Amino acid sequence: MTVPERHVRGGRVRRRFDLRATTVTFALAAVALVLVGWVVRMAFDVAQRRPAWVFVLVLGVVTAALLRRSARRRGSAARAALRTTDALAAATATALDELEQGRAAEGREHACAEEATVVVRAEHEELSPDEFEEAIADLCRRDGCTEVEVVGGAGDLGADVLAVAPDGRRVVIQCKRYGDDNKVGSQDLQRFGGTCYTVHGADVAVLVTSSDFTTPAADYAEWCGIVCVNEEQLRDWCEGGGPAPWEQLPPEGNGTEPSGRALW
């Protein structure tokens, strides 16, 4: 008797458990988790300085997750873990580079802003009169003045530094690099007051000294509206603890009439 042949349905072949592959997969996953924690920590630092790079990091993580999910569907978890690690490492390196560049740029800006401060904070006795004038001009540039020019010398008629303040007023400065035992007297103020407005057309007249002013000189300056800056006030201006001289004279006051205000 003929026995009919039975057709055996094809069954799914079960894969054997591979301990080595499983161990490698979990090890790579652990490395990826460590990197994720590191990237998250760096992201907070980057977010404070370069918010745009937070988007880059998030995009990198999402891309890595999609790659890993796609790889799992293809049955290659190890390859997905490697791709995730590469993507996170690349994003982290990019963020770190941008952060370092930002810090370097901030350092350069800070150095430029402090350049004039370093010069004036030195002992004034170590600066020549010409260097002292240049240092005052640098402070004016630092605080937003334009058209800053050092004109001191023979025939300067009392003006050492000319500038235009941020609000558009013309600033005329005379610099007196004196020692501590030599104060600026009333005659110095009178000579400067006779030329700063009529000859140089000052809106703000300033006399800066590395020492101090006598009482008659201070009284005369207050009467005619000249801003006096002594050594202590100069250091405050230099270090950012005090306002610039032109900020102490209201825009409506041009110094041609007694101001009746207190000295700076």
Side-chain angles (χ1 to χ4, degrees), residues 145 161-174 192 196-197 200-207 224-229 244-256 261:
C145 288
V161 178
L162 302 178
V164 176
D167 58 11
R169 290 181 293 170
R170 181 174 175 80
V171 181
V172 178
I173 303 176
Q174 185 178 79
F192 181 53
C196 61
Y197 299 119
H200 300 291
D203 296 317
V204 181
V206 184
L207 200 153
C224 64
I226 297 176
V227 179
C228 292
V229 181
W246 53 86
E247 296 175 350
Q248 299 304 305
L249 189 65
E252 62 271 17
N254 59 9
T256 58
R261 63 177 179 80

Side-chain angles (χ1 to χ4, degrees), residues 84-167:
T84 303
T85 303
D86 293 340
L88 291 175
T92 303
T94 303
L96 288 175
D97 290 341
E98 180 65 19
L99 182 60
E100 291 299 326
Q101 292 177 4
R103 288 177 177 174
E106 291 176 0
R108 288 192 296 269
E109 292 175 0
H110 182 72
C112 292
E114 294 295 326
E115 183 176 356
T117 302
V118 172
V119 173
V120 180
R121 287 179 65 183
E123 291 298 329
H124 296 137
E125 291 76 6
E126 298 178 0
L127 299 178
S128 67
D130 292 341
E131 292 173 339
F132 187 67
E133 295 171 3
E134 291 289 348
I136 298 302
D138 288 340
L139 284 175
C140 293
R141 295 187 185 97
R142 184 200 69 181
D143 289 348
C145 288
T146 58
E147 301 180 24
V148 180
E149 183 181 4
V150 178
V151 296
D156 59 19
L157 296 178
D160 294 321
V161 178
L162 302 178
V164 176
D167 58 11

Side-chain angles (χ1 to χ4, degrees), residues 43-57:
F44 283 107
D45 193 9
V46 174
Q48 295 177 355
R49 298 176 179 272
R50 295 292 185 274
W53 280 105
V54 176
F55 174 75
V56 176
L57 288 175

